[in-house]
C-alpha cells in the first residue's frame, strides 16, 4: 500500500513511517519541517497525493498553547490544513484516511457518583484550583467521584483551543467520508511518549519536559498534587496501531463494518495501564538517578484532571495490542537506551 504520511518527519509520524516500511508498505512523507511542503498548500498536497492509496494525517500543531491568542494558529494548522487535504483527496479520489485524533476531545474523563451514577462534571473553577481542590465533584450533590475509563461513545467536550481543533478535524473527515464514500479511522491518542519526543518546547508532552529537567540535574516540577490520571502509551505501540488501522481499511468492497466501504470510526489508543503524572515523574527520576520530583500545586486552566482510555474496541475489532510496559518505556525515555519489544497486532 502506498501511503502519504503528513507530518511524517515528526515524533509520531517518523515512527509510523518506519513501521509501514517494516510491514512492506510504501510510505511517502509530506512535512513542513523536512521539505517545506505545507499541508495547507493545495498544490503541494495535490502533487503528494499522486498514486497514493491512503493518507495517514499526522501533521498538526499540538499542545495547549500559551493563551487564546494562539487560536488562529491552531485553527489554521489543524483545521484549514485538514480541509485542504480532504478537498485534494476528493479531487484525486484517494478513498482512505487515517487521522491522528486525540483523547482531548472528551474533556474530563468518565466519573461515577455513588448516589447519582455516571455524571459529567463541568470545567474546574479557578477558585478551587487556587485552593488546591483539584478533584472534580458531582455536579448534583458535590460528593467525591470515582474516575473510570472513557469509551469512544462518550460525549465530546473539548476544553481548550487545541481540543476544539482536534474535534473539528474529526467532523471534517466525517463529512468528507459521507460526501465521497471514503473511509476514515480516527485514532484518539492518549499520552504518547518515547524516542524522538521534542525537548523543551511549549508543545512537548509533560514526559519530555520532565526528562529535560532531569537532564539538567533539576527536579521535575509536577503540577497540581501529581494525582492526575493519564494513559501513557509508547510511540512504537501507536505506530503499530496506525499500521493495523490502515490495513483494516483495505477491507473488500463487500464488507459493511465501520471500516468497510465508507464511514467514520474512532478508536482510543491507550496502554490500558493508567498511571498518575506523579508516577511518571518518579519513574523517570528513578531510571536516571535524578532528583526527586517536586509537587508544586501549580495548575493550568485548560488541563483536565483524569482522562484514561478504554481501548477494547481497537483490540477487539482490529486485533491491536500494546506491548511496551510502562516501566521499561520510561526507563528507555530517561536513559536513551532502546528496549526491544515485538510490535504489531
Amino acid at each position: 500500500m502506498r501511503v502519504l504520511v503528513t507530518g511524517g518527519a515528526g515524533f509520531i509520524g517518523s515512527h509510523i513511517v518506519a513501521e509501514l516500511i517494516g510491514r512492506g508498505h510504501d510510505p511517502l512523507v509530506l512535512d513542513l519541517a523536512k521539505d517545506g511542503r505545507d499541508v495547507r498548500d493545495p498544490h503541494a498536497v495535490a502533487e503528494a497525493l499522486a498514486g497514493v492509496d491512503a493518507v495517514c494525517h499526522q501533521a498538526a500543531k499540538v499542545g495547549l498553547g500559551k493563551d487564546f491568542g494562539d487560536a488562529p494558529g491552531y485553527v489554521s494548522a489543524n483545521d484549514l490544513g485538514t480541509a485542504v487535504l480532504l478537498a485534494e483527496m476528493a479531487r484525486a479520489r484517494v478513498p482512505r484516511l487515517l487521522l491522528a485524533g486525540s483523547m482531548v476531545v472528551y474533556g474530563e474523563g468518565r466519573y461515577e457518583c455513588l448516589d447519582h451514577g455516571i455524571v459529567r462534571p463541568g470545567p474546574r473553577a479557578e477558585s478551587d484550583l487556587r485552593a488546591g481542590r483539584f478533584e472534580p465533584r458531582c455536579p448534583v450533590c458535590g460528593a467525591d467521584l470515582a474516575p473510570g475509563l472513557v469509551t469512544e461513545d462518550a460525549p465530546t467536550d473539548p476544553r481548550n483551543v487545541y481540543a476544539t481543533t482536534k474535534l473539528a478535524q474529526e467532523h471534517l473527515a466525517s463529512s468528507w467520508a459521507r460526501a465521497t464514500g471514503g473511509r476514515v479511522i480516527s485514532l484518539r491518542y492518549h499520552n504518547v511518549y518515547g524516542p524522538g519526543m521534542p525537548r523543551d518546547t511549549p508543545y512537548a508532552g509533560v514526559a519530555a519536559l520532565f526528562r529535560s529537567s532531569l537532564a539538567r540535574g533539576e527536579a521535575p516540577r509536577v503540577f497540581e498534587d501529581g494525582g492526575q490520571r493519564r494513559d501513557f502509551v509508547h510511540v512504537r505501540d501507536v505506530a503499530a496501531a496506525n499500521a493495523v488501522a490502515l490495513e483494516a481499511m483495505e477491507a473488500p468492497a463487500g464488507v459493511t463494518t465501520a471500516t468497510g466501504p465508507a464511514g467514520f470510526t474512532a478508536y482510543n489508543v491507550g496502554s490500558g495501564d493508567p498511571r498518575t503524572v506523579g508516577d511518571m515523574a518518579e519513574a523517570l527520576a528513578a531510571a536516571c538517578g535524578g532528583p526527586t520530583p517536586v509537587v508544586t500545586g501549580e495548575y493550568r486552566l485548560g488541563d483536565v484532571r483524569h482522562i484514561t482510555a478504554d481501548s477494547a474496541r481497537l483490540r477487539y475489532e482490529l486485533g491491536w495490542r500494546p506491548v511496551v510496559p510502562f516501566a521499561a518505556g520510561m526507563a528507555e525515555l530517561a536513559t536513551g537506551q532502546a528496549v526491544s519489544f515485538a510490535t504489531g497486532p
Side-chain angles (χ1 to χ4, degrees):
M1 178 168 40
R2 192 172 177 85
V3 181
L4 176 64
V5 184
T6 70
F11 166 45
I12 297 175
S14 60
H15 285 272
I16 293 171
V17 168
E19 181 74 16
L20 290 173
I21 291 173
R23 289 171 176 258
H25 299 296
D26 180 17
L28 307 174
V29 172
L30 187 153
D31 193 293
L32 180 62
K34 178 185 178 184
D35 53 25
R37 293 187 299 166
D38 193 335
V39 74
R40 291 167 290 189
D41 179 349
H43 300 294
V45 173
E47 289 179 358
L49 288 172
V52 161
D53 301 305
V55 174
C56 183
H57 185 31
Q58 305 295 312
K61 187 178 180 71
V62 301
L64 294 180
K66 296 179 179 178
D67 54 46
F68 204 81
D70 290 334
Y74 277 90
V75 173
S76 176
N78 296 351
D79 298 337
L80 175 59
T82 299
V84 170
L85 173 66
L86 292 170
E88 294 305 320
M89 288 179 65
R91 291 189 182 96
R93 300 185 183 275
V94 177
R96 293 184 285 274
L97 174 71
L98 192 289
L99 177 66
S102 175
M103 56 85 181
V104 295
V105 301
Y106 298 118
E108 283 286 355
R110 182 181 185 274
Y111 292 91
E112 185 169 0
C113 173
L114 187 62
D115 293 325
H116 297 99
I118 303 301
V119 295
R120 301 190 67 231
R124 297 180 293 173
E126 187 168 10
S127 58
D128 285 337
L129 297 174
R130 282 199 304 266
R133 295 188 294 268
F134 301 120
E135 292 290 342
R137 299 284 180 170
C138 175
V140 180
C141 66
D144 293 340
L145 298 173
L149 299 179
V150 178
T151 59
E152 291 88 350
D153 57 0
T156 54
D157 184 18
R159 299 286 177 91
N160 55 63
V161 170
Y162 171 65
T164 302
T165 65
K166 295 306 290 184
L167 183 57
Q169 284 184 316
E170 291 194 349
H171 289 320
L172 287 165
S174 182
S175 296
W176 169 84
R178 286 194 297 271
T180 65
R183 309 180 196 181
V184 179
I185 289 179
S186 177
L187 295 181
R188 291 175 175 170
Y189 303 156
H190 281 245
N191 293 77
V192 185
Y193 73 96
M197 287 189 75
R199 292 178 180 267
D200 296 321
T201 75
Y203 310 111
V206 68
L209 298 177
F210 288 169
R211 180 188 58 180
S212 295
S213 295
L214 289 163
R216 296 190 300 268
E218 301 170 1
R221 296 175 61 82
V222 180
F223 280 19
E224 300 187 16
D225 60 0
Q228 310 94 303
R229 285 164 52 90
R230 298 289 188 269
D231 189 319
F232 300 102
V233 58
H234 198 277
V235 67
R236 289 203 294 277
D237 286 330
V238 171
N242 275 267
V244 166
L246 284 164
E247 290 166 356
M249 285 193 286
E250 289 190 292
V255 177
T256 57
T257 63
T259 54
F264 173 94
T265 307
Y267 292 100
N268 289 332
V269 184
S271 69
D273 183 21
R275 302 288 181 128
T276 69
V277 172
D279 289 339
M280 182 187 63
E282 291 173 2
L284 288 172
C288 67
T292 302
V294 175
V295 176
T296 69
E298 297 171 272
Y299 59 86
R300 297 187 302 181
L301 278 178
D303 283 344
V304 297
R305 179 62 175 175
H306 304 298
I307 176 70
T308 53
D310 183 342
S311 300
R313 177 185 287 179
L314 182 57
R315 296 173 185 232
Y316 175 74
E317 293 187 6
L318 303 189
W320 170 82
R321 296 288 187 277
V323 300
V324 181
F326 175 80
M330 287 296 162
E332 177 190 52
L333 183 65
T335 64
Q337 297 179 356
V339 291
S340 179
F341 289 94
T343 57

